[in-house]
Amino acid sequence: MTTRHAPDPSARAVLLQATADGIATAAAELRTGRLVAFATETVYGLGALAEDDAAVAALYAAKGRPSFNPLILHVADLAAATRIARFSPTALRLAEAFWPGPLTLVAQAREGCGAALARAGLDTVALRVPDHPTARALLAAVGSPVAAPSANPSGKISPTTAEHVLGGLGDRIAAVLDAGPTPIGVESTIVFAPVDGPARLLRPGGVSLERLEAALGASLASDAPATDGPIAPGQLRSHYAPDARMRLAAARPEPREAWLGFGADPAGLGSRPRRNLSPTADLAEAAARLFADLHALDAETPSGGVIAVAQIPETGLGRAINDRLRRAAAPRD
Ligand code: TXA
Ligand code: MG
């Protein structure tokens, strides 16, 4: 088990099943300030009690995350969210349309709402009501907000299975609440909805831009795909990075490249490492497989190798997939 203040290199996370017992154990660990990864419908999150600054500090340390990067507070329902932040009519409309679900709303934090370290000292706060039954049961059992970034070391590929979490953070956290592969596979869509001023899309994700705009009956300005200066603190350009380099929108792989396909594969792929996100070109299937396929190809590609990736359409969930691929392909520090 991990200690409160420093990761213990000899520790190994306990794998908990998503049963009533497993959920109760996970909730008890969180309440005593330990770090527990858990399944959501998007990706696995690494949870810490949001109001426990020591737990949140341990979370930043475990991820190796720059501490200016604020976390999403996961809450059980809209009522809990509106106790923490002020919701504009637009924010309420989006919450009612998409919660529980893969949407994060950034809104003005209420005076005295706590969780200062999780919010990285900002006067705004990111909130999400997840839709996964395991996450919902866990939040109900904990009874207070759980700060949870994706459960990967900072800058690495996001986890969609408990095995991914153990591979990246297994020696730095108390437990993983395992509910199998996550169904959506890319992180939540993030919308900034201030009380004064228009809403803006900060990160494409599990709720497509088209669905957001249909719910709003209006178009939504977009700060994503992120340009060089981070808009949301922590929208680092190089992110989700595999060790291999990435070549995007490729028609076919070069002789020594691995291949990540979408739709029908080109002929003559031979015995190279390869995966196909969706042979039928289904974007929801591709999103669900994206990170698992990147993890697998990265492991199979020799060091210094390249993963060539097929073109993915920039519509619906394709926007979130392309955003993650562009970050995976971005130059590294
Ligand atoms: O699907 C998800 O959103 C997953 C699961 C676990 O819920 N979580 C997730 O968290 O992706 P994370 O920490 O990997 O990404 C959160 C993003 C970061 O880019 C962060 O900068 C942004 O949310 N964020 C958090 N608070 C913010 C704020 N007050 N203003 C703008 N962006 C914020
Ligand atoms: Mg992340």
Side-chain angles (χ1 to χ4, degrees), residues 42 45 65 69-70 72 74 124 126 128 149-150 187-188 190 203 232-233:
T42 57
R65 178 172 221 182
N69 197 345
I72 298 172
H74 294 65
T124 55
R128 177 160 115 77
S150 50
E187 296 88 343
S188 61
I190 305 181
R203 177 176 78 180

Side-chain angles (χ1 to χ4, degrees), residues 98 189 201 205-214 315-319:
F98 298 108
T189 301
L201 177 70
V207 177
S208 70
L209 181 61
E210 290 85 343
R211 291 179 63 209
L212 290 172
E213 291 183 337
T315 58
L317 287 176
R319 277 184 238 273

Side-chain angles (χ1 to χ4, degrees), residues 151-268:
N152 51 284
S154 187
K156 296 294 180 188
I157 301 168
S158 292
T160 56
T161 65
E163 291 69 37
H164 294 158
V165 177
L166 289 174
L169 295 173
D171 57 356
R172 303 187 210 172
I173 65 177
V176 184
L177 188 53
D178 182 3
T182 58
I184 293 177
V186 290
E187 296 88 343
S188 61
T189 301
I190 305 181
V191 172
F192 177 45
V195 176
D196 46 1
R200 302 197 316 267
L201 177 70
L202 298 184
R203 177 176 78 180
V207 177
S208 70
L209 181 61
E210 290 85 343
R211 291 179 63 209
L212 290 172
E213 291 183 337
L216 290 174
S219 65
L220 190 64
S222 176
D223 293 347
T227 45
D228 281 328
I231 303 135
Q235 285 194 326
L236 306 176
R237 204 154 65 92
S238 169
H239 206 66
Y240 311 99
D243 291 323
R245 284 178 299 126
M246 311 271 296
R247 187 167 70 84
L248 305 186
R252 61 184 53 76
E254 299 294 335
R256 305 178 75 83
E257 291 176 343
W259 176 245
L260 184 58
F262 177 80
D265 275 332

Side-chain angles (χ1 to χ4, degrees), residues 4-253:
R4 290 295 296 271
H5 299 292
D8 171 355
S10 66
R12 193 72 203 158
V14 174
L15 193 64
L16 299 169
Q17 296 308 309
T19 57
D21 270 3
I23 288 164
T25 303
E29 292 280 20
L30 283 170
R31 279 198 301 262
T32 57
R34 296 213 173 89
L35 307 180
V36 177
F38 60 97
T40 81
E41 73 277 29
T42 57
V43 300
Y44 275 73
L46 177 59
L49 208 59
E51 283 152 16
D52 181 340
D53 281 350
V56 172
L59 190 159
Y60 283 126
K63 273 190 69 93
R65 178 172 221 182
S67 53
F68 55 77
N69 197 345
L71 306 174
I72 298 172
L73 305 198
H74 294 65
V75 292
D77 52 32
L78 177 57
T82 57
R83 284 196 292 275
I84 297 170
R86 293 164 60 206
F87 273 48
S88 66
T90 300
L92 275 179
R93 191 158 182 168
L94 291 174
E96 276 157 11
F98 298 108
W99 279 358
L103 175 69
T104 293
L105 290 167
V106 175
Q108 268 99 8
R110 289 189 189 280
E111 197 75 21
C113 75
L117 188 58
R119 290 187 287 114
L122 299 179
D123 55 9
T124 55
V125 56
L127 292 158
R128 177 160 115 77
V129 178
D131 189 27
H132 195 291
T134 302
R136 291 175 66 77
L138 181 65
L139 290 172
V142 172
S144 76
V146 173
S150 50
N152 51 284
S154 187
K156 296 294 180 188
I157 301 168
S158 292
T160 56
T161 65
E163 291 69 37
H164 294 158
V165 177
L166 289 174
L169 295 173
D171 57 356
R172 303 187 210 172
I173 65 177
V176 184
L177 188 53
D178 182 3
T182 58
I184 293 177
V186 290
E187 296 88 343
S188 61
T189 301
I190 305 181
V191 172
F192 177 45
V195 176
D196 46 1
R200 302 197 316 267
L201 177 70
L202 298 184
R203 177 176 78 180
V207 177
S208 70
L209 181 61
E210 290 85 343
R211 291 179 63 209
L212 290 172
E213 291 183 337
L216 290 174
S219 65
L220 190 64
S222 176
D223 293 347
T227 45
D228 281 328
I231 303 135
Q235 285 194 326
L236 306 176
R237 204 154 65 92
S238 169
H239 206 66
Y240 311 99
D243 291 323
R245 284 178 299 126
M246 311 271 296
R247 187 167 70 84
L248 305 186
R252 61 184 53 76

